[in-house]
Amino acid sequence: MVIDVIVSNSSKAVDKAFSYAVPDEFKSEMEIGRRIVVPFARGNREIEGFCVGIHEDGETNGLKSVRYIADDKPVFGEKLLDVIEYMHERYLCSYCELINTVVPAGTAIKMKEMLSVTESDSELSGVRREIADIIKSAGSMERHELLSHFDHDVSSAVREMLKSNELSRKFVSGREVKEKKIKFVRALYTEDEDAIGARAHTQKKAYEFLCSHDAMPLADMLKESGISRASVNELVKKGLAEVYDYSMERDPFINMNLNKTSAPKPTEEQRTAIEKITNSADNGGGAFLLHGVTGSGKTEVFLQSIDYILKLGKTALVLVPEISLTPQMVSRFVSRFDSRVAVIHSGLSKGERYDQWRRIYSGEADIVIGARSAVFAPLDNIGIIIMDEEHSESYKSDMSPRYHAREVALYRAKQFGAPIVFASATPLVESYYKAQSGEYILIEMKKRFNEAKLPPIAIADMRNELAEGNRSMFSRTLYRQMKINLERKEQTILFLNRRGFSTFVSCRSCGYTVQCPHCNISLTYHKFDNMLRCHYCGYTVHNYNLCPKCGSKYIRFFGGGTQRVEDEVHRIFPEATTIRMDIDTTGKKQSHEKLLEKFDKEKIDILVGTQMVAKGLDFENVTLVGAVSADTMLHINDFRSAERTFSMLEQVTGRAGRGTKPGRAVIQTYNPEAEAVSLVTTHDYYSFYKGEIELRKLMWYPPFSKMIVVLFSGTESSAVERCAAYFRKLMGDMRKLDSRVQVLGPVPASITKINNRYRFRMIIKCADDDVYNADLKKAMESCRKNENYRNVSIIIDKNPTNIN
């Protein structure tokens, strides 16, 4: 038997399958997706690999053999292998990157180089003696740990000792995440009254304690009984007790106090949506766009559609943006479907994610709810896929592999003939166009659940506020409404899509702006620790009291972030309680959940936040939303800036009035005439879409074209520029494959330097972004092999959400 193996090596030079012979003892266990260990390259170093092809009668002469099988089950099946192959061709990334994305994080086999001292006759002295003594003291030692004992590099000495047989080495496999196992203990009953012994009083006490209890954790038993471990060990030796490993699931729902819920009677719009979706499940599936206003009850449509699918014996996959994966969203699914739900998102530890993956793999969980990476959940027989908030940019990965969860989800839905539902109050222009042209089936939900009204929205023109002497962050309209809410004991959400205290720090005397030394962008001031931070590379420096250029004391903050908004609230409403949600306050595990729980249970007056507060929040007592600055996204150098602005404003204002109390919203802007702002006041998505789609058609932007961005980066600006020009030359006359193709650049990227790496970009607009795959691969490979450009990184990104 011969198998095709993808090895865990990210180098593009080995991005292919290698053939290995399978020893007889492994043949019966070999399957697609098996994780194995194989010898690789000239030194035959053992390395992790994955079986991606099996040839029962393959010729084994001259082939290296599989060393051993690492897992008791495959980590992916043939369906997911098809997904990997699709993504390899579509996104031009390596097999290794894709497999690492599909398999659970932390389960990769890491080979450790362990060093031991041999019984050599050599007389050791100096650093060699020191190395030997350190290793002997531990018995054996991993090479990296040994090197950390020295304040200078001893690698050459280690190599010489290996050559002269003074040290030996072997490679040992290990992994970061395993099943969590706890020692349990239980009594083994006997009729022999003298089995313990007349004088072993402590053992007798221990045995009587065990007999009066069911099996229990050993640590709990020792603590409750006050008996020593030695006494338990003696009982084990005498066959009167058993200590064994018990697999314990790391449960992310352990702190959730949930009551079982049942399905309510759906509204007419909900019933229509459920029927259309479930009918398609019996007829080969289809792609749906569920366009429902905020608060229309889309989640209940999901729940009842999934319930129907489960009764067919199929499984369900629900994708939500990371920031929408709130306890409220998760609890609605868990309270309806209980232990059938598994959750996958970045807030879980690697161990928790691994346990959730095992539950899905074993079939214990048949509903998966999660962020982008959950699209690779090892579900069989998928009956429905739902992508909530389908407009969210977080579905697009900004690291390799640069996939879009929408495209992968569509591929998986077609594999199983399952319906896929894209849902949003503000669908992407591309998605709504597909619904208008018949590629998607459009379902509209225009009314809020229980006939609640959409919040009326007031526009505050900040130009007028400034002209009339109001220099506060808050317009008079927003101030009055916040005051009313405080008097009524109702809650308010203030939204600003910018964290920190100020946007930048600048000197009023000489005009100097404090910038990151590694990136060509300004630093943001964070008041809570008086630090300036770069939000791109993480560089930090203490705030300046004097201008570092001219020495002036007139160095001030400009712009405003969430911290400054919170400070301003405290200044004008000192009696108000506030809570802030941004990346600075939600960095710790479960901090997101704790902040929202505190806001709800303690009835905090005002929640200040970034886009985290714009989606997925449903609080009965929130009756006012204030968008502090609608302009932060409007003037970004990107053709999607107007769409992002409309979407974010419509989403965040929709947090108001979701209960029985009426809501309202105030949007502050210096551009009230912009359609992305003005049309939000009437919640008129369709008028916004009509204007935007005409502009896209005129400028040949998606959905009328596809876009490919090629990004070049490196530490030497001239080398990056030359590499970009060389890449463009290698692509040749691109009109041969697409007569309408437009190539913009290469030119310096909008942010020309990040983390000391200079950046150039080339934008390709074309009718089909897959026709250039071969040419793009060839050009990238040629640049990689060219000595002049070996230190230049090349990233190919199809249909990026951000072009910077």
Side-chain angles (χ1 to χ4, degrees):
M1 178 187 286
V2 174
I3 61 172
D4 300 325
V5 177
I6 299 295
V7 295
S8 291
N9 186 317
S10 58
S11 170
K12 294 287 186 182
V14 295
D15 184 33
K16 60 182 179 180
F18 293 87
S19 297
Y20 283 87
V22 180
D24 291 340
E25 63 265 33
F26 299 142
K27 287 182 179 178
S28 62
E29 299 178 67
M30 195 57 65
E31 298 174 77
I32 294 294
R34 278 284 194 185
R35 194 197 307 257
I36 54 180
V37 173
V38 296
F40 188 69
R42 291 181 183 177
N44 286 329
R45 179 176 178 178
E46 290 186 345
I47 190 173
E48 177 186 65
F50 298 87
C51 175
V52 295
I54 300 176
H55 312 283
E56 294 285 351
D57 302 318
E59 180 57 56
T60 61
N61 288 341
L63 295 180
K64 297 176 183 180
S65 296
V66 172
R67 292 283 167 84
Y68 62 88
I69 295 176
D71 289 320
D72 57 351
K73 295 175 182 176
V75 290
F76 56 83
E78 293 193 18
K79 292 283 191 183
L80 272 176
L81 178 58
D82 289 343
V83 173
I84 290 169
E85 292 286 1
Y86 158 74
M87 293 177 68
H88 182 258
E89 180 64 23
R90 167 84 178 130
Y91 300 113
L92 310 179
C93 48
S94 71
Y95 282 116
C96 179
E97 290 170 326
L98 290 167
I99 291 175
N100 287 339
T101 302
V102 169
V103 301
T107 62
I109 295 174
K110 304 293 184 183
M111 307 307 296
K112 295 182 179 180
E113 185 182 0
M114 302 300 295
L115 302 174
S116 302
V117 179
T118 65
E119 298 299 324
S120 171
D121 296 330
S122 303
E123 285 292 329
L124 301 177
S125 62
V127 71
R128 291 193 179 195
R129 166 55 56 197
E130 197 175 349
I131 289 171
D133 288 344
I134 291 172
I135 295 175
K136 276 185 176 179
S137 67
S140 65
M141 186 172 286
E142 202 260 328
R143 180 195 280 254
H144 290 298
E145 184 183 352
L146 171 67
L147 298 180
S148 70
H149 281 264
F150 295 86
D151 56 8
H152 59 284
D153 189 3
V154 297
S155 298
S156 59
V158 172
R159 285 195 296 270
E160 291 301 320
M161 292 178 76
L162 286 167
K163 285 181 182 178
S164 58
N165 200 35
E166 294 160 355
L167 293 179
S168 64
R169 68 178 176 181
K170 65 177 180 179
F171 291 94
V172 178
S173 64
R175 63 182 73 193
E176 186 179 349
V177 175
K178 301 177 182 177
E179 286 186 49
K180 182 179 181 180
K181 294 187 177 181
I182 293 178
K183 293 290 184 186
F184 263 61
V185 61
R186 63 185 173 191
L188 299 177
Y189 296 100
T190 178
E191 295 181 1
D192 184 358
E193 296 181 0
D194 299 322
I196 296 176
R199 296 184 178 181
H201 301 297
T202 306
Q203 292 175 34
K204 185 176 181 181
K205 180 183 176 183
Y207 186 65
E208 289 173 350
F209 182 89
L210 289 174
C211 288
S212 64
H213 291 77
D214 293 328
M216 65 188 302
L218 176 60
D220 291 353
M221 180 265 173
L222 298 177
K223 184 177 180 180
E224 288 182 29
S225 66
I227 295 166
S228 68
R229 175 67 189 267
S231 296
V232 175
N233 290 344
E234 287 300 317
L235 291 178
V236 172
K237 288 179 183 178
K238 294 174 180 179
L240 298 174
E242 179 187 19
V243 175
Y244 59 96
D245 288 330
Y246 178 80
S247 293
M248 183 76 96
E249 181 184 315
R250 288 154 284 213
D251 186 2
F253 308 132
I254 197 164
N255 294 319
M256 278 191 176
N257 297 315
L258 302 173
N259 297 316
K260 182 73 175 175
T261 62
S262 56
K265 182 180 179 180
T267 65
E268 187 61 29
E269 287 186 331
Q270 287 175 327
R271 186 187 60 78
T272 300
I274 294 165
E275 286 181 358
K276 286 184 178 180
I277 294 166
T278 54
N279 286 342
S280 75
D282 300 317
N283 295 286
F288 295 86
L289 178 63
L290 178 58
H291 178 207
V293 298
T294 57
S296 59
K298 295 185 288 296
T299 304
E300 189 59 42
V301 172
F302 305 159
L303 291 166
Q304 295 195 31
S305 297
I306 288 170
D307 188 52
Y308 179 88
I309 294 298
L310 297 183
K311 289 174 182 175
L312 297 178
K314 298 182 179 182
T315 62
L317 173 60
V318 182
L319 300 175
V320 296
E322 187 77 44
I323 59 173
S324 293
L325 197 57
T326 63
Q328 290 180 317
M329 170 66 86
V330 174
S331 65
R332 289 195 66 178
F333 279 82
V334 177
S335 61
R336 186 72 61 88
F337 298 111
D338 200 28
S339 61
R340 303 180 75 167
V341 179
V343 176
I344 299 176
H345 64 91
S346 63
L348 304 181
S349 68
K350 287 183 179 179
E352 287 172 334
R353 272 182 278 175
Y354 175 61
D355 286 352
Q356 293 293 297
W357 181 89
R358 285 176 54 237
R359 292 182 63 236
I360 301 163
Y361 188 98
S362 67
E364 181 185 341
D366 48 12
I367 304 169
V368 175
I369 176 170
R372 181 178 63 226
S373 61
V375 76
F376 304 112
L379 286 167
D380 281 330
N381 198 21
I382 294 175
I384 189 169
I385 298 177
I386 294 167
M387 181 179 280
D388 193 21
E389 309 287 6
E390 67 91 32
H391 62 277
S392 174
E393 294 178 6
S394 66
Y395 286 124
K396 177 71 163 66
S397 172
D398 57 5
M399 296 186 299
S400 190
R402 286 174 166 75
Y403 67 95
H404 200 299
R406 171 198 313 282
E407 295 175 346
V408 180
L410 276 165
Y411 188 88
R412 294 203 76 183
K414 288 176 182 176
Q415 283 183 311
F416 293 94
I420 181 167
V421 181
F422 301 110
S424 177
T426 54
L428 283 175
V429 168
E430 292 98 312
S431 298
Y432 203 79
Y433 177 79
K434 289 179 179 180
Q436 293 290 308
S437 59
E439 188 173 340
Y440 295 166
I441 300 167
L442 180 63
I443 302 174
E444 299 267 20
M445 294 173 64
K446 299 180 179 180
K447 298 177 182 178
R448 277 191 158 186
F449 186 74
N450 289 338
E451 301 296 325
K453 300 293 184 183
L454 286 166
I457 299 173
I459 296 288
D461 188 339
M462 299 304 285
R463 296 172 302 185
N464 295 339
E465 295 289 322
L466 190 62
E468 294 172 17
N470 180 13
R471 298 183 180 277
S472 166
M473 295 188 76
F474 302 130
S475 63
R476 288 163 295 180
T477 301
L478 182 54
Y479 170 83
R480 283 194 300 270
Q481 295 302 321
M482 290 167 66
K483 193 169 186 293
I484 290 170
N485 256 32
L486 289 170
E487 291 168 354
R488 291 177 178 173
K489 303 296 184 185
E490 295 174 0
Q491 292 170 291
T492 300
I493 292 177
L494 296 180
F495 164 73
L496 179 67
N497 201 28
R498 181 191 294 146
R499 76 185 211 261
F501 185 82
S502 67
T503 311
F504 62 95
V505 176
S506 181
C507 176
R508 292 188 178 185
S509 295
C510 70
Y512 173 77
T513 299
V514 183
Q515 289 196 315
C516 175
H518 312 297
C519 313
N520 68 332
I521 60 168
S522 59
L523 297 177
T524 300
Y525 176 55
H526 289 250
K527 186 179 180 181
F528 74 96
D529 58 0
N530 198 34
M531 299 291 284
L532 301 175
R533 281 186 168 80
C534 175
H535 289 173
Y536 281 85
C537 74
Y539 171 81
T540 61
V541 64
H542 283 287
N543 183 36
Y544 296 103
N545 294 318
L546 300 176
C547 174
K549 184 177 181 182
C550 73
S552 169
K553 64 181 181 180
Y554 297 108
I555 188 162
R556 293 289 183 269
F557 320 117
F558 291 86
T562 48
Q563 290 180 38
R564 188 173 175 191
V565 171
E566 187 178 33
D567 277 9
E568 186 72 1
V569 170
H570 288 155
R571 187 184 68 80
I572 61 176
F573 298 117
E575 75 285 2
T577 55
T578 65
I579 199 166
R580 179 164 54 87
M581 277 191 69
D582 55 31
I583 198 168
D584 296 321
T585 61
T586 58
K588 294 181 180 179
K589 186 176 179 181
Q590 294 185 332
S591 54
H592 197 164
E593 292 93 325
K594 291 175 182 176
L595 285 172
L596 292 177
E597 184 178 8
K598 184 176 182 180
F599 177 67
D600 186 27
K601 290 189 175 179
E602 297 182 19
K603 293 295 182 277
I604 301 295
D605 295 319
I606 299 171
L607 170 63
V608 180
T610 58
Q611 60 177 331
M612 293 179 180
V613 304
K615 304 168 188 173
L617 302 187
D618 193 348
F619 293 110
E620 172 86 15
N621 199 41
V622 171
T623 57
L624 173 64
V625 169
V628 178
S629 176
D631 307 317
T632 53
M633 296 169 289
L634 193 58
H635 301 301
I636 296 172
N637 185 23
D638 192 309
F639 74 92
R640 290 191 176 95
S641 61
E643 180 180 28
R644 289 194 188 106
T645 300
F646 179 89
S647 176
M648 190 63 73
L649 292 176
E650 181 67 17
Q651 292 283 344
V652 74
T653 55
R655 300 308 104 198
R658 295 174 74 91
T660 56
K661 301 174 184 177
R664 67 239 188 258
V666 178
I667 296 175
Q668 299 186 161
T669 178
Y670 287 92
N671 297 273
E673 65 281 351
E675 286 195 343
V677 176
S678 63
L679 290 174
V680 175
T681 61
T682 54
H683 307 283
D684 191 353
Y685 172 83
Y686 187 66
S687 292
F688 173 77
Y689 164 79
K690 284 195 298 182
E692 189 70 11
I693 200 70
E694 286 300 319
L695 184 62
R696 300 275 185 98
K697 187 175 183 180
L698 180 66
M699 302 299 294
W700 204 48
Y701 279 127
F704 302 100
S705 69
K706 300 291 180 69
M707 296 184 73
I708 305 170
V709 171
V710 186
L711 182 67
F712 309 86
S713 68
T715 55
E716 295 182 24
S717 178
S718 59
V720 177
E721 185 174 10
R722 290 195 305 272
C723 180
Y726 180 58
F727 187 99
R728 175 65 188 93
K729 182 179 179 181
L730 290 169
M731 291 297 293
D733 185 2
M734 297 175 68
R735 289 173 298 180
K736 291 179 180 179
L737 296 176
D738 181 352
S739 60
R740 293 191 63 189
V741 67
Q742 297 176 13
V743 182
L744 310 175
V747 296
S750 55
I751 301 176
T752 57
K753 187 174 71 168
I754 293 179
N755 205 11
N756 286 327
R757 296 184 68 84
Y758 296 91
R759 307 165 76 244
F760 279 71
R761 76 176 180 208
M762 180 172 74
I763 300 175
I764 302 168
K765 293 165 69 175
C766 53
D768 183 350
D769 55 358
D770 284 334
V771 299
Y772 293 107
N773 284 352
D775 290 344
L776 290 166
K777 279 184 182 178
K778 188 176 179 181
M780 187 162 56
E781 186 67 13
S782 297
C783 290
R784 186 182 66 82
K785 290 179 177 179
N786 190 310
E787 287 288 340
N788 297 317
Y789 310 130
R790 284 218 168 163
N791 294 324
V792 177
S793 169
I794 301 174
I795 293 170
I796 296 173
D797 196 0
K798 292 186 175 182
N799 287 321
T801 53
N802 290 293
I803 304 172
N804 55 21

